[in-house]
Amino acid sequence: MSNSTSASTSSRPVRTRMAPSPTGEYHVGHIATLLKNYAFAKKHGGQFVLRIEDTDQERKVEGAVERIMSVIKAYGLDWDEGPDKGGPYAPYTQSERLPLYKAKAEELVAKGQAYYCFCTSERLERIREAQRAANQPPMYDKHCRHLDPAEALRRVEAGESYVIRLAVPENETIRFTDLIRGEIEVASNSVDDQVLLKSDGFPTYHLGVVVDDYEMQITHVMRGEEWISSTPKHMLLYQAFGWQPPIYAHIPVFLNPDGKGKMSKRKGTVAAQSFLDDGFLPEAMLNFFMILGWTPKDQREILTLDEYIQEFDPAEISAKSVVFDLAKLRWINGMYIRKLSPTELKQRLTPFLPTDFPAAQTDRIISLVAERLERLGEIEELTSFFYRPVTVDPTLLHKKAEPAVVAEQLQTTSAALRALTTWESSQLENCIRDLQAQHNWPKSQYFMMLRVAVTGRTATPPLFETMAIIGQSEVLSRLEAATQL
Ligand code: GLU
């Protein structure tokens, strides 16, 4: 099966596309699918096209096209031809191509492969009602299929409202090969005489997608598996036009991070932009998408976009849905954060720094927490004790020693630290280690107690460096406050 993915099976140059409908937010699943189309085109020295499928005017959302384009770019991806760039098959926005779809639909009518339908929405609703009552699947009853063509044309010319429907052949088997699932067969009798051209002159998705994939010379279509039930309809259209269909691969959907059900908004965010807003690096997101449902031959999990382009083969995509594993995503993101130079990290973190972040200490604080950062958006949570008042939980403070012992430790430490004339981590370390040895306080209890008193937390960057940054007077006042608990 895999040989059919190779560009050489077709003499045409590889052209892939992503065809978003501007009906809402762009999801992580869209970016993951786009990445595959993008990489496959690049692998074969071909072109990747962005086409806007805005034929559903009712569901169209203002500003969605701009947001889709900007989020694709924010992920570090781009297209060779598209609405903003033009290209040999422009325009790339379907609402600007209406005459083409009308002409193509009429061409099918002329060939007897499609027909005018004048049924009112009331009539269609009545049929659907009856089918529902009889427990039958909703399908058009082909009422207008047998109208005399000359009579139908007269009614169209007289200005009667109509749609154009595909005359689906009866008793045939529709066959196509999906690169991931293999051969698929569907009985033509189960396919509705679908509408191709709506009464407002807009094409339906089915007509638009087939005409444009053909006109734009698309050779391979990778799209979400939710479209697989549309593919038999598309095959019928290719057959009716006498065109060669592209090669299809339907990509399994992501499952929710808890492994239950198709990934959905109800169980957390799915919007591609919001992951970037939370501080996942675009290159880490792409790496994550690469290995969801596909693994390179040597099983490695970290790979660059260039390596992916070289190695990716859609025929190797798993047919099973994969869990959108947030723990894995965080791990990968942490790896990519660790790869950044201090200057790059600071630059990337800048939009995430809270306004009260101490500018003079930025580099020192960042370098202390960089190891633990898995998401840029965690920076505030990981560092707030450096520059905001802390709340200390008395039970944590007294966890391993009596309150009287703790109070004694705090007072002795305060006095010693107050006497220091330089406030650097090495001095702090010497001073505090000496105290511990002198009084023979249990090491782990004493250090943890100090950490809790100074930061309010049990997990922080190294204690002495942390205290050095917080500063002498603030540390002393936090120790003082802790003695009151
Ligand atoms: N316009 C469809 C969408 O919103 C395109 C589906 C396809 O790729 O054929 O995803």
Side-chain angles (χ1 to χ4, degrees), residues 17-35 37 48-53 61 63-75 77 79 222-223 265 269-276 285 289:
R17 51 70 167 180
M18 195 69 189
S21 298
T23 51
E25 281 306 312
Y26 216 46
H27 293 181
V28 279
H30 290 131
I31 298 280
T33 299
L34 187 148
L35 171 66
N37 283 285
F48 170 65
V49 175
L50 182 71
R51 180 174 72 230
I52 301 298
E53 299 201 330
V61 173
V65 173
E66 290 69 25
R67 281 203 300 282
I68 289 169
M69 297 206 287
S70 104
V71 73
I72 296 170
K73 288 189 177 158
Y75 270 82
L77 300 170
W79 46 95
M222 282 171 252
R223 59 182 171 194
K265 250 199 282 212
T269 183
V270 291
Q273 183 62 48
S274 69
F275 283 84
L276 303 183
M285 292 294 297
F289 296 146

Side-chain angles (χ1 to χ4, degrees), residues 139 186-192:
M139 271 176 113
V186 176
S188 70
N189 291 355
S190 70
V191 179
D192 203 3

Side-chain angles (χ1 to χ4, degrees), residues 183-231:
E183 301 296 319
I184 295 180
E185 289 189 355
V186 176
S188 70
N189 291 355
S190 70
V191 179
D192 203 3
D193 274 8
Q194 67 209 270
V195 174
L196 302 179
L197 196 75
K198 298 182 272 187
S199 56
D200 60 3
F202 278 73
T204 54
Y205 156 65
H206 304 298
L207 180 66
V209 80
V210 167
V211 167
D212 284 345
D213 282 344
Y214 172 75
E215 291 283 327
M216 296 179 181
Q217 307 273 312
I218 301 302
T219 55
H220 297 76
V221 169
M222 282 171 252
R223 59 182 171 194
E225 71 180 342
E226 66 271 30
W227 301 103
I228 202 163
S229 59
S230 297
T231 309

Side-chain angles (χ1 to χ4, degrees), residues 410-450:
L410 285 167
Q411 274 151 11
T412 313
T413 311
S414 286
L417 294 182
R418 187 167 289 111
L420 289 181
T421 50
T422 42
W423 189 260
E424 274 161 27
S425 69
S426 52
Q427 270 86 14
L428 288 164
E429 177 161 9
N430 290 338
C431 172
I432 289 170
R433 287 197 190 283
D434 284 352
L435 287 174
Q436 181 273 322
Q438 230 173 309
H439 298 273
N440 205 17
W441 288 324
K443 243 190 211 159
S444 68
Q445 175 274 328
Y446 175 54
F447 291 142
M448 181 53 84
M449 183 283 294
L450 276 185

